[in-house]
Amino acid sequence: MNKGTNLNLGRVRLSGNQAVARGALEAGVRLATGYPGAPISDLQGSFEQLAGNLRRASPFAIKVGEALDNANYQLTAHWGTTTNEDNAFALALGAVICKGDFKSREFLTEDEWDLVYGDTVFSEDEEKRVPVGSRVMCSFKHLGGNTAADAIRVAVNVVPYTGGLGIASGDDRQGTASQTMQDNKVLFSSHFRIPTFELHSPLTAHQTVKNCYRLFEELGTPFAVIMNYDLSYREVSVDLAMEVDLGANMRQKGFTRDPKHLVTIGPHIRPRENKFHSKLIPLFRKKIGEYFDFLGNKVQQLGERPRTLLLLNGPFREDFQLLRHDPTLKDRLLKKFGGNVAVETTVVFPQPESLYKKLLSKLSIDRIFVFEEGYGRVIYLQLLDLVNRHGLDAKVFDCGIPYEPRIYERFSYIDHILAE
Amino acid sequence: MVALPNRVLQDHDETTFMRPVSNCAGCGDTKVSWSVLEGMKRFNREHELKGKNRYQVVYAADRGCGNLQGYHAYHIVDTIFCMGSGVIVGEGLKESCSEKQIVVTASGDGGYNFNISGFKFAAKNKKWGAITIVYNNYNIRMTGGQIPLEVDFDKEGKAMGFEVLHINPYHVDDNAELFKELMGRYLNKEKTMVVADGVCVVDMAKDTKAVGLNLGHFVKSDECLDLKFKEERERVASEEPEKLKDLPRFKCRLCGIGLRCHALLNNDPTLCFGCGACKQFPCPVGALSFEGPSFADSTRIPELLTMYRV
Ligand code: SF4
Ligand code: SF4
Ligand code: SF4
């Protein structure tokens, strides 16, 4: 049941937050939960306006809201009413575990399906279809991840019933409106160990969000997308052409009993945790490698005989676009790094090891420079681990910055990349 | 280089799975579980709903004694996630379950205090009805007898927007009737909080003993199908032992299985905690009764003392 609807809504200004809302709506999200706080309130506010709980005020909400109403799009939003992020997430969890419908496989092989669904009540399905229900988004600011940690960690033990759940985290690594400059990449990737992505542009965020829903719903796992403070608020003008998955939005509702999965008591969760870490994370890693382009990532060679790999994430990736418009920047890059392969990536966790191994062995790369924002150095540590574990002959350099500079600091990401 | 042992997670990690999880005989939690399921059955019967037209309970529980037993013994529990999350997970379930599914949530009084804002959300959410059960053992006794935060369910529940109903967990038949009614009211978007007072018989039995009150025990008359069959088995064992293997081990046991009570399953009144649930259990031949004081009379010890003039 794939009923796509195209909406051409003309020129609109779109913030990073609204771009994430756009991605969720294009994916057919039926329930949006969250708890407000800068810098992400704007995302949940959009859902509230679209769901009719608040007056539609922004041009985005007015245009999109009217179009979705005409398409009979179903949307429920709970924002401040859940009173905190833990409740917002538990509400999302309750909604996502209901699998009243099926869809055919798009991304999984039969064997992979067996691995993901083989011990659920759906294991007897002859066509090995994917059990699905409401797609759900839960969003909060970085600190909300701490409040919701109990429920998010439990969600891992409920895999694959959590497929179709996206988490959006607005990180205030500037400390502009928060008591800490927490790096939530640590929380989502190192602690919860769910597929985690850092978005970089209001122009592309929707595509990553939408495709994450498609891929990770089949894999049965929640995923997280993170924005920094600047991206949450930064606006661009776009020709808003939305491709909404109405089929996903209008799926049949229903709860299917599977207490062995959904009652999280010791005997149930022990094998599940074991499987998650030893079998499912490697599968997520493999699929992220297979669908690297699909998830909005790009690999390009710059210059001849590349011996350097540049890994550009988040705001570094965004500024890297400037190379396209300014040839002097490219010259400076080649002068500093020589011929190189630039991987512009949204992936924070798990890193697609086979892709890097292939690049390293095929191109004799011996230096890897990782540019990421946040004190967790999450990507750097994974690359370091990869090189050590496989005994690869390469050095990994941490070139990130521990926090997001504020505007008055006049920090330039591209200058940081090109600095001598 | 030192070879590290190849650590393999053994299957014996799962030995706990084989351990039957069992609440105490007479535990009030289990009695409420029975009444919810029985209430749903009666609701369907009353509305002559059959097959696909029948309503179903989806039971979102919290962590704790009652729900563990509810899961293992009654297979009523559908979800258990975090402490205090049952009520809000239930609200999420309502968003995505079918119209024929009625979500019932169950928390302990500890879970209620833990996530009172979740209860508030359930009360205020205009989209759905709510049946929220609170197992009230007046304390968080299982975890060490801490002194709890005082709760006035009547005031607090009402202020949130619930109709607060107190039940005696051991009035199993009355409670089944109540839940039958609440299923209909749920569909009518009404909000009820059912406070099951005095669910921990172990704790209450300690208190009754301390004040010198001896609780009574169940009685099965000669009409009991199981007892009759027991006699028949004994006869076959002594007269025709070769036929014994063809006989089932028991005949009825509806009460013991229904109430998940070892005393009934073993036909042994000395194991009876004196909860009094047997008074109301609908035995098909009317063979089950109860003699003496019990928590079915009251879950408040001073009241019991007055009734039995100790
Ligand atoms: S009264 Fe009945 S249910 Fe209660 S403990 Fe005794 S035998 Fe068990
Ligand atoms: S300790 Fe109390 S609450 Fe727990 S199973 Fe026994 S009677 Fe029930
Ligand atoms: S339900 Fe009645 S007949 Fe059956 S075992 Fe119990 S007392 Fe006996």
Side-chain angles (χ1 to χ4, degrees):
Chain A
M1 192 164 101
N2 244 338
K3 209 168 131 211
T5 294
N6 294 315
L7 307 173
N8 288 307
L9 303 172
R11 201 89 181 142
V12 177
R13 282 189 74 73
L14 204 67
S15 67
N17 280 323
Q18 287 165 336
V20 172
R22 170 187 177 182
L25 296 167
E26 289 196 32
V29 158
R30 187 148 62 188
L31 173 69
T33 73
Y35 193 71
I40 206 161
S41 306
D42 195 19
L43 166 58
Q44 296 139 345
S46 298
F47 284 127
E48 291 278 308
Q49 290 180 29
L50 291 163
N53 301 344
L54 293 175
R55 190 178 62 82
R56 288 175 185 158
S58 72
F60 170 78
I62 292 168
K63 280 195 176 183
V64 176
E66 194 186 338
L68 293 181
D69 288 349
N70 290 338
N72 291 323
Y73 190 97
Q74 303 172 10
L75 181 67
T76 299
H78 286 290
W79 187 22
T81 43
T82 55
T83 69
N84 59 50
E85 293 85 350
D86 196 32
N87 274 338
F89 193 83
L91 183 69
L93 197 52
V96 85
I97 58 175
C98 298
K99 305 295 182 195
D101 213 339
F102 286 98
K103 74 183 252 310
S104 41
R105 272 177 291 120
E106 272 183 273
F107 304 99
L108 298 187
T109 64
E110 290 200 359
D111 287 347
E112 288 165 347
W113 186 92
D114 284 337
L115 177 60
V116 177
Y117 296 97
D119 55 1
T120 67
V121 288
F122 302 106
S123 61
E124 301 296 314
D125 190 65
E126 281 179 11
E127 295 165 49
K128 298 188 190 294
R129 293 168 303 165
V130 180
V132 290
S134 305
R135 285 179 174 170
V136 180
M137 171 159 273
C138 182
S139 55
F140 36 73
K141 68 182 286 176
H142 60 340
L143 301 172
N146 305 339
T147 313
D150 194 12
I152 304 176
R153 188 61 185 76
V154 162
V156 167
N157 292 330
V158 185
V159 166
Y161 286 86
T162 35
L165 173 55
I167 304 168
S169 172
D171 281 15
D172 179 7
R173 288 177 216 136
Q174 293 188 5
T176 299
S178 317
Q179 64 270 41
T180 74
M181 291 148 81
Q182 182 167 304
D183 177 5
N184 264 19
K185 293 202 288 291
V186 180
L187 206 56
F188 290 108
S189 59
S190 308
H191 182 43
F192 304 134
R193 304 194 81 204
I194 58 174
T196 306
F197 301 82
E198 168 125 356
L199 304 171
H200 64 100
S201 166
L203 287 173
T204 57
H206 67 284
Q207 203 59 48
T208 304
V209 171
K210 182 178 182 179
N211 289 347
C212 277
Y213 271 105
R214 289 175 60 192
L215 177 61
F216 296 112
E217 179 175 66
E218 280 200 18
L219 284 162
T221 178
F223 66 89
V225 290
I226 299 178
M227 284 176 286
N228 73 359
Y229 203 87
D230 171 69
L231 174 59
S232 295
Y233 289 120
R234 180 155 33 98
E235 287 189 355
V236 293
S237 283
V238 293
D239 287 317
L240 193 56
M242 290 174 64
E243 207 179 312
V244 179
D245 189 345
L246 267 189
N249 182 254
M250 292 176 180
R251 284 170 180 164
Q252 196 172 312
K253 293 184 176 183
F255 174 80
T256 308
R257 302 200 74 202
D258 189 355
K260 286 235 161 84
H261 268 82
L262 300 174
V263 173
T264 58
I265 51 175
H268 295 170
I269 56 126
R270 279 192 288 275
R272 207 128 287 136
E273 290 253 358
N274 190 14
K275 177 178 161 183
F276 185 77
H277 298 295
S278 63
K279 304 234 169 65
L280 292 179
I281 291 177
L283 178 63
F284 303 158
R285 192 187 297 289
K286 175 173 167 247
K287 300 311 274 188
I288 287 172
E290 278 173 30
Y291 291 94
F292 202 60
D293 298 347
F294 175 77
L295 292 170
N297 303 297
K298 207 162 119 191
V299 183
Q300 59 171 323
Q301 184 177 329
L302 296 163
E304 300 299 315
R305 289 184 300 282
R307 294 197 53 199
T308 302
L309 189 76
L310 302 179
L311 237 127
L312 301 139
N313 179 249
F316 288 101
R317 176 178 183 180
E318 185 62 356
D319 259 24
F320 200 69
Q321 313 300 320
L322 296 169
L323 259 73
R324 272 201 235 131
H325 311 291
D326 185 347
T328 61
L329 293 177
K330 191 174 167 191
D331 292 344
R332 281 171 65 194
L333 186 86
L334 291 175
K335 194 166 161 234
K336 180 175 173 185
F337 295 106
N340 64 75
V341 173
V343 180
E344 295 174 53
T345 179
T346 48
V347 182
V348 172
F349 176 84
Q351 290 296 328
E353 292 198 349
S354 54
L355 176 88
Y356 293 123
K357 270 168 68 186
K358 207 158 79 192
L359 284 174
L360 261 64
S361 59
K362 216 166 98 188
L363 300 171
S364 322
I365 280 167
D366 56 13
R367 296 183 311 164
I368 302 170
F369 294 87
V370 180
F371 294 92
E372 63 185 319
E373 190 177 82
Y375 56 70
R377 304 182 305 160
V378 172
I379 302 175
Y380 163 72
L381 291 173
Q382 286 177 81
L383 266 291
L384 198 62
D385 174 55
L386 166 85
V387 164
N388 284 343
R389 235 176 334 105
H390 295 281
L392 302 174
D393 194 11
K395 281 202 160 63
V396 189
F397 298 93
D398 167 22
C399 303
I401 52 170
Y403 61 90
E404 180 183 353
R406 297 187 70 178
I407 290 169
Y408 62 75
E409 291 182 44
R410 299 189 182 284
F411 180 84
S412 155
Y413 292 93
I414 191 67
D415 283 345
H416 181 87
I417 296 169
L418 300 176
E420 287 306 322
Chain B
M1 201 152 127
V2 181
L4 292 171
N6 192 6
R7 194 173 159 270
V8 181
L9 276 176
Q10 300 285 345
D11 277 352
H12 69 235
D13 190 32
E14 288 319 299
T15 45
T16 47
F17 190 55
M18 304 310 293
R19 178 173 63 95
V21 176
S22 177
N23 286 34
C24 312
C27 174
D29 299 324
T30 61
K31 310 299 174 274
V32 178
S33 301
W34 183 85
S35 299
V36 172
L37 282 182
E38 183 64 20
M40 187 80 265
K41 277 189 211 155
R42 292 182 190 180
F43 179 85
N44 283 323
R45 230 179 284 138
E46 189 171 281
H47 293 84
E48 294 176 5
L49 300 169
K50 291 196 181 119
K52 279 191 168 173
N53 291 327
R54 271 181 311 184
Y55 282 88
Q56 249 181 351
V57 169
V58 179
Y59 195 87
D62 258 5
R63 310 204 77 85
C65 243
N67 293 320
L68 200 59
Q69 173 76 345
Y71 165 67
H72 282 280
Y74 289 92
H75 308 291
I76 185 180
V77 176
D78 288 307
T79 67
I80 297 182
F81 298 142
C82 313
M83 177 68 174
S85 72
V87 68
I88 194 93
V89 167
E91 292 300 293
L93 286 165
K94 290 171 195 175
E95 289 289 339
S96 299
C97 68
S98 86
E99 286 171 0
K100 286 281 173 189
Q101 293 176 317
I102 294 180
V103 178
V104 176
T105 68
S107 320
D109 49 347
Y112 169 86
N113 277 330
F114 191 93
N115 190 14
I116 197 161
S117 60
F119 279 83
K120 199 167 166 187
F121 179 90
K124 304 280 177 213
N125 189 356
K126 292 196 179 70
K127 217 168 155 188
W128 320 107
I131 303 173
T132 61
I133 301 169
V134 181
Y135 291 130
N136 183 21
N137 54 15
Y138 311 119
N139 204 322
I140 310 168
R141 301 198 195 243
M142 283 300 287
T143 17
Q146 306 94 316
I147 296 169
L149 198 57
E150 195 186 316
V151 185
D152 185 334
F153 289 106
D154 296 318
K155 275 194 193 147
E156 292 172 17
K158 191 168 171 226
M160 282 190 262
F162 288 107
E163 181 185 349
V164 181
L165 303 165
H166 288 266
I167 59 169
N168 177 319
Y170 311 100
H171 292 180
V172 288
D173 192 56
D174 294 352
N175 295 342
E177 282 299 304
L178 174 73
F179 282 115
K180 181 187 80 179
E181 186 198 320
L182 294 186
M183 303 293 173
R185 291 172 58 184
Y186 170 98
L187 295 173
N188 216 15
K189 297 192 183 172
E190 289 179 41
K191 311 277 188 186
T192 43
M193 179 189 281
V194 180
V195 183
D197 290 311
V199 281
C200 183
V201 280
V202 167
D203 214 64
M204 294 190 304
K206 257 189 276 167
D207 293 348
T208 48
K209 218 178 205 159
V211 293
L213 177 69
N214 291 324
L215 295 165
H217 53 80
F218 78 91
V219 178
K220 283 184 178 182
S221 76
D222 294 345
E223 291 308 303
C224 168
L225 303 173
D226 211 30
L227 289 180
K228 275 189 187 164
F229 184 66
K230 197 173 154 210
E231 281 169 21
E232 170 65 2
R233 259 186 80 92
E234 275 162 14
R235 188 196 61 74
V236 172
S238 63
E239 293 171 19
E240 306 167 281
E242 70 286 358
K243 288 189 181 164
L244 195 61
K245 63 178 183 343
D246 301 326
L247 285 185
R249 287 190 49 228
F250 51 84
K251 193 84 175 179
C252 175
R253 292 203 167 178
L254 212 56
C255 52
I257 295 170
L259 298 174
R260 291 312 189 273
C261 179
H262 317 310
L264 291 167
L265 288 171
N266 291 305
N267 280 321
D268 184 352
T270 62
L271 296 177
C272 175
F273 257 87
C275 79
C278 282
K279 278 188 183 184
Q280 283 204 356
F281 186 80
C283 162
V285 291
L288 191 61
S289 60
F290 189 91
E291 266 175 14
S294 78
F295 297 124
D297 300 323
S298 173
T299 55
R300 301 200 174 271
I301 317 285
E303 259 176 49
L304 269 179
L305 286 176
T306 318
M307 273 182 216
Y308 290 93
R309 298 178 208 289
V310 174

